[in-house]
Amino acid sequence: MKQKYLFLLLSALLVLFVALLYADFQQQSENENPKNQILLRKLGDELLRSSKDSTSKVLPIQKIAANEFHIAFENQLAITPDTLVAIVQRNLNQSSFSKNYAVQVIACSTKKVVYGFVHSAHAKETVIPCLGRKLAVGCYTIALQFIPQKTILSRYKTMLISGIVLVLLVLLFRIGYKKKTRTIPKSATGETLQIGKYDFHYEQHIVYYDGLKIPLTVKESKLLYIFFTSPNVIIDRNELQKEVWENEGVIVTRSLDMFISKLRKKLDKDPSVRIVNSHGVGYKLEVG
């Protein structure tokens, strides 16, 4: 995949990730919506009235966490699960809270949950137990915990983060690989480079052996210079092809083998200098 397409893919993934973060932020903002807060107080008021109490107060709504609220009361009250479920559903259906939530009735004295139910946007996942059983009059706190759409937002955020990390790793690898390209330094173009008993003149595309002039093609010179920079080290075929043919678009695999074969013949006068094939991997220049 070309580097520009990787950048485009990374940009698209980042945009999607920001969109999901914004959706999360919107959900958190909705929890602060004044209408939602009023509906929670209204919910508490209706519970008091269902317990025949029209004078005592609903205490200030407590925000325990980003998605959790507690409703407490001034006086004791009686709670019937059927009535609690109906009042909660009626009020929360008018809110912009998540439609996935858990409701717990907590006894003030013991801090234990004496009743609870779970409501889901998917009816099959709603769990409402113990209907028809009235709780004794007592001091209770109603805890409401709104459950984010984990199956959508969290899962996609995890996938997007994985995708972003993967693309970044590929980009870093490609950039790092690119940095390793063997550009010919200016000092090399005018110098005589010693390879065994050969004198290599890169700029002139010539090697000399004991006064004998051996002309090289441009690509042969590039190949020989790459080998010169890493003597006795296997150089990957793909790297050789990229270095020599990178500006020519289409790379023919057999071209590399052909040029290596020609270069071998031109360097056959010094037995201490050999270009050795590592099958399926690449080539190395052995200098004894």
Side-chain angles (χ1 to χ4, degrees):
M1 186 183 294
K2 291 184 179 179
Q3 193 160 311
K4 66 176 181 179
Y5 294 123
L6 284 172
F7 276 116
L8 286 174
L9 178 59
L10 178 60
S11 300
L13 288 172
L14 285 172
V15 169
L16 287 172
F17 182 64
V18 170
L20 286 178
L21 284 180
Y22 179 73
D24 265 357
F25 174 76
Q26 285 291 92
Q27 182 62 56
Q28 297 298 328
S29 298
E30 286 300 332
N31 291 347
E32 303 293 337
N33 189 327
K35 179 184 176 182
N36 288 344
Q37 303 295 315
I38 291 169
L39 285 168
L40 291 179
R41 291 197 63 81
K42 181 172 175 287
L43 188 159
D45 176 67
E46 290 184 18
L47 281 174
L48 284 175
R49 292 182 183 278
S50 72
S51 186
K52 311 300 181 184
D53 182 348
S54 60
T55 58
S56 65
K57 298 177 182 177
V58 176
L59 298 179
I61 305 298
Q62 294 180 299
K63 183 178 180 181
I64 307 302
N67 296 309
E68 184 174 352
F69 298 85
H70 285 188
I71 304 172
F73 307 92
E74 184 180 27
N75 293 333
Q76 295 184 344
L77 72 162
I79 294 178
T80 302
D82 308 62
T83 305
L84 173 65
V85 172
I87 290 173
V88 169
Q89 289 181 340
R90 181 168 61 250
N91 283 281
L92 294 188
N93 282 343
Q94 299 176 51
S95 76
S96 55
F97 283 123
S98 168
K99 296 304 180 279
N100 299 314
Y101 54 83
V103 179
Q104 294 179 324
V105 180
I106 302 172
C108 300
S109 58
T110 63
K111 304 301 180 184
K112 291 183 178 180
V113 176
V114 296
Y115 179 71
F117 71 93
V118 174
H119 182 276
S120 173
H122 304 288
K124 290 182 180 180
E125 297 177 15
T126 296
V127 180
I128 304 175
C130 303
L131 294 179
R133 299 182 183 183
K134 188 175 181 179
L135 301 180
V137 176
C139 175
Y140 299 112
T141 296
I142 309 300
L144 298 102
Q145 184 176 11
F146 297 96
I147 305 167
Q149 296 287 347
K150 291 182 180 178
T151 54
I152 298 175
L153 294 181
S154 296
R155 186 178 300 169
Y156 280 120
K157 277 196 293 187
T158 301
M159 291 171 61
L160 280 172
I161 290 172
S162 301
I164 290 169
V165 169
L166 178 61
V167 173
L168 282 173
L169 287 174
V170 173
L171 283 173
L172 288 172
F173 173 78
R174 289 177 67 85
I175 290 169
Y177 184 80
K178 203 167 186 180
K179 285 181 179 177
K180 292 179 182 177
T181 56
R182 295 172 174 79
T183 53
I184 310 299
K186 290 182 179 179
S187 61
T189 59
E191 285 185 359
T192 299
L193 307 176
Q194 195 70 37
I195 304 175
K197 295 180 181 180
Y198 294 99
D199 294 327
F200 176 34
H201 296 265
Y202 174 78
E203 191 174 49
Q204 289 79 32
H205 310 306
I206 295 170
V207 291
Y208 287 94
Y209 178 80
D210 196 21
L212 176 66
K213 178 180 177 181
I214 305 170
L216 303 174
T217 66
V218 174
K219 288 184 174 60
E220 288 169 351
S221 288
K222 283 185 178 181
L223 280 170
L224 186 55
Y225 181 80
I226 293 169
F227 286 129
F228 168 78
T229 59
S230 301
N232 301 306
V233 174
I234 297 173
I235 302 175
D236 187 85
R237 292 180 60 89
N238 293 330
E239 184 178 349
L240 289 170
Q241 289 172 336
K242 182 177 182 298
E243 294 288 348
V244 179
W245 284 273
E246 63 180 343
N247 296 321
E248 297 186 9
V250 179
I251 297 173
V252 179
T253 303
R254 290 192 58 81
S255 296
L256 175 63
D257 300 321
M258 180 184 69
F259 277 95
I260 292 290
S261 177
K262 290 181 177 179
L263 190 56
R264 275 195 183 119
K265 291 177 181 177
K266 293 180 180 182
L267 299 175
D268 63 357
K269 292 173 175 55
D270 183 354
S272 68
V273 176
R274 296 190 309 148
I275 298 176
V276 179
N277 178 28
S278 178
H279 184 68
V281 180
Y283 293 92
K284 70 175 175 178
L285 176 67
E286 289 186 350
V287 182

